[in-house]
Amino acid sequence: MSSFIIEGGTKLNGEVRISGSKNASLPIIAASILNGGETTLYNVPNIHDTQITLKILKKLGCKIKKNKEKIEINSTYITQKEISEDLMREMRSTVILAGALIGRFKEATFSYPGGCDIGARPIDLHLKAFKKLGINIEEEYGFIRCSCDKIIGTNIDLDFPSVGATENIILASVLAEGKTTITNAAREPEIVDLVKMLKKMGAKISGEGTNIIEINGVKKLEDVKYRIMPDRIEAGTFLCAGAITGGNIKIINAIPEHLVPIISKLEEANCKIKIENNIIIIDAPQRLKAIEIKTMPYPGFPTDLQSIFGTVLSVAKGTSIITENIFENRFRYLAELKRMGAKIKQENNVAIISGVKRLSGTAVQSTDLRGGAAMVLAGLEAKGITKVSNIEYILRGYEDIDKKLNKLGANIYIKEGE
Ligand code: UD1
């Protein structure tokens, strides 16, 4: 276990370049299984979660070449169709590999997925959809074995617009017979990115980005080269790092239209935002104004930035109200934030935050990936030294967060083994 040591109080200033999207990389790496050939991906972030996904692909039989942010995957000789339990437990999104394996080989075995402890995170919607596609599912000794002779397109209505279930259905049905229609599909930009990559491989899909997606099965998919979109959650995190320190930051390589609810909430809190193509500039006031936030599926306010905003608002003037509608455990960071002097009351899925003038540095923990990043932002603002432990959570999703922050004038370093 390692920690970040942060000396707070510097206004961040300068430019930061956003890395490729974690949540788009994972299903796109999984999709490389489908063509039984070469996939070249650019702009893949070098973070724990992409490393684990590539490690699993290698175990399955893929040949992988890495050169910085370029990754070449050859999936011709996959021999294994079982995802080992130890790797599966390391992150939840490995469940996405099941859809790709079933799509190509009509079989896959995996265990219940791991990942951040931010709520129940069941996979019932994934399994229900697989069953509708004619896939047999047997569960024994904690393993889930999926198999079928062929996959036949059908209509799948999701009870909730789950991002992972939408991606898994797409991956399982691109090589199916006939048409699959997903209604109440998730609309997140990461799904659109996955579909763009699959279309470049020759898949026939329409409606991505809306709540009805149609997939017309094709017989074969081709080799592909694809550049992953920038990470909107990382971009939002750096905008908030600017906001909480009263700084002025230029975010380079972002897609502003993916960040509409974030930009509008920062403006509501009195930040000045300028947009020039793929650049977003934030000029934050001395003190922010309190606001209200409710997390929703895209295009609503993202749950992934709830803890980051909660932290920013802990030092805003007035009372902010945050409602978390997606993951019930995404308020665990509040206890840590309170240790730094924040004034917060939580009632079920609502947090009422009375802004204090300044936080105080102390020892806090990362409760999950985004909750950990929130503590880093708290440390940037706080008086004195903040020690954020369990930073392995943060490193799962943020590439070089410490280096990027230091370049903006922060004072943060890693202390190994604590
Ligand atoms: C993805 C993102 C995550 C983000 C989330 C919501 C990745 C790797 N992760 O997670 O960062 O916070 O979308 O935008 O892309 N649910 C069920 N049954 C299921 C599946 C989901 O009840 O079978 C529930 C979940 O418990 C949760 C809600 O649906 O309450 C949303 O989950 P989902 O959209 O599936 O999130 P993930 O794909 O896990």
Side-chain angles (χ1 to χ4, degrees):
M1 286 290 167
S2 305
S3 306
F4 276 135
I5 308 293
I6 307 160
E7 190 179 341
T10 314
K11 286 182 190 236
L12 299 192
N13 231 298
E15 288 183 11
V16 59
R17 193 176 177 80
I18 300 307
S19 300
S21 161
K22 166 178 98 70
N23 287 354
S25 294
L26 302 175
I28 286 177
I29 292 174
S32 72
I33 292 175
L34 288 165
N35 63 1
E38 280 285 341
T39 296
T40 308
L41 299 175
Y42 301 93
N43 207 29
V44 179
N46 186 19
I47 49 176
H48 172 271
D49 277 13
T50 54
Q51 286 158 7
I52 292 288
T53 315
L54 290 166
K55 201 162 147 188
I56 298 175
L57 253 60
K58 217 170 169 178
K59 277 207 167 179
L60 298 177
C62 290
K63 302 255 175 307
I64 294 170
K65 274 196 241 159
K66 266 173 94 173
N67 184 0
K68 292 185 185 150
E69 45 79 83
K70 173 180 164 185
I71 293 181
E72 291 167 272
I73 304 166
N74 187 315
S75 64
T76 312
Y77 302 109
I78 290 185
T79 45
Q80 272 273 104
K81 285 115 200 177
E82 178 170 330
I83 303 165
S84 70
E85 195 184 353
D86 49 332
L87 293 172
M88 192 84 198
R89 282 189 187 283
E90 285 211 40
M91 53 181 269
R92 175 188 162 80
S93 22
T94 42
V95 73
I96 284 302
L97 294 166
L101 281 172
I102 298 162
R104 176 155 163 218
F105 298 107
K106 316 293 173 261
E107 68 172 284
T109 302
F110 55 100
S111 60
Y112 273 96
C116 282
D117 183 14
I118 51 167
R121 305 199 95 173
I123 54 164
D124 56 317
L125 298 175
H126 300 240
L127 299 182
K128 205 167 144 190
F130 284 172
K131 280 185 191 152
K132 267 219 103 181
L133 286 167
I135 299 163
N136 299 315
I137 295 170
E138 290 168 60
E139 294 186 44
E140 50 176 21
Y141 308 116
F143 277 92
I144 301 165
R145 209 174 297 280
C146 301
S147 62
C148 60
D149 294 331
K150 55 183 174 185
I151 297 175
I152 300 172
T154 184
N155 295 339
I156 300 170
D157 181 51
L158 287 174
D159 295 335
F160 182 88
S162 154
V163 175
T166 303
E167 291 167 345
N168 238 340
I169 298 166
I170 295 172
L171 291 167
S173 59
V174 271
L175 290 169
E177 277 180 26
K179 181 166 95 176
T180 301
T181 305
I182 314 173
T183 49
N184 200 23
R187 299 168 58 187
E188 269 69 2
E190 292 76 13
I191 295 171
V192 176
D193 213 38
L194 166 68
V195 169
K196 271 172 138 176
M197 180 266 196
L198 287 167
K199 280 182 171 172
K200 255 194 125 181
M201 273 185 174
K204 293 216 161 12
I205 306 172
S206 60
E208 66 277 14
T210 75
N211 57 6
I212 301 179
I213 300 179
E214 281 188 2
I215 304 122
N216 278 291
V218 294
K219 289 227 154 61
K220 199 177 164 354
L221 294 166
E222 306 299 327
D223 291 352
V224 67
K225 290 188 175 169
Y226 191 74
R227 184 168 193 87
I228 311 262
M229 70 175 221
D231 196 306
R232 66 190 167 103
I233 306 302
E234 189 198 7
T237 304
F238 277 98
L239 285 171
C240 286
I244 198 168
T245 61
N248 189 314
I249 301 185
K250 196 173 187 180
I251 311 273
I252 297 171
N253 191 32
I255 300 181
E257 67 181 80
H258 291 170
L259 289 148
V260 169
I262 291 116
I263 291 170
S264 88
K265 284 293 165 190
L266 286 170
E267 283 176 334
E268 213 181 306
N270 274 348
C271 293
K272 288 200 179 76
I273 308 265
K274 257 210 294 202
I275 295 171
E276 297 163 5
N277 303 316
N278 284 359
I279 293 176
I280 309 172
I281 301 163
I282 178 163
D283 185 8
Q286 196 61 33
R287 189 149 187 223
L288 299 157
K289 194 183 97 186
I291 52 171
E292 271 189 43
I293 282 170
K294 289 191 173 98
T295 64
M296 304 283 270
Y298 191 85
F301 188 91
T303 171
D304 282 324
L305 285 171
Q306 181 266 111
S307 51
I308 314 269
F309 264 75
T311 301
V312 169
L313 294 173
S314 71
V315 288
K317 191 163 193 260
T319 303
S320 297
I321 298 174
I322 299 191
T323 310
E324 171 57 60
N325 291 314
I326 313 290
F327 287 111
E328 69 268 30
N329 280 7
R330 271 202 167 148
F331 271 153
R332 293 191 2 203
Y333 73 100
L334 293 179
E336 303 300 308
L337 204 52
K338 281 194 209 168
R339 291 167 54 84
M340 297 180 73
K343 288 210 164 58
I344 304 165
K345 266 201 223 148
Q346 184 194 341
E347 280 170 27
N348 301 315
N349 67 330
V350 178
I352 302 154
I353 305 176
S354 310
V356 293
K357 280 212 168 114
R358 207 168 167 196
L359 298 170
S360 312
T362 185
V364 288
Q365 280 194 37
S366 306
T367 48
D368 55 74
L369 162 58
R370 306 301 169 188
M375 286 310 107
V376 170
L377 262 61
L380 293 173
E381 194 279 339
K383 196 167 177 199
I385 306 285
T386 300
K387 177 179 167 193
V388 183
S389 55
N390 288 352
I391 62 167
E392 284 69 18
Y393 276 128
I394 306 172
L395 303 177
R396 286 178 51 174
Y398 290 91
E399 186 176 56
D400 293 336
I401 188 170
D402 48 337
K403 291 192 189 93
K404 289 183 182 186
L405 286 170
N406 280 332
K407 223 183 123 211
L408 293 169
N411 191 346
I412 171 171
Y413 68 90
I414 293 182
K415 194 159 184 192
E416 304 283 352
E418 268 187 54

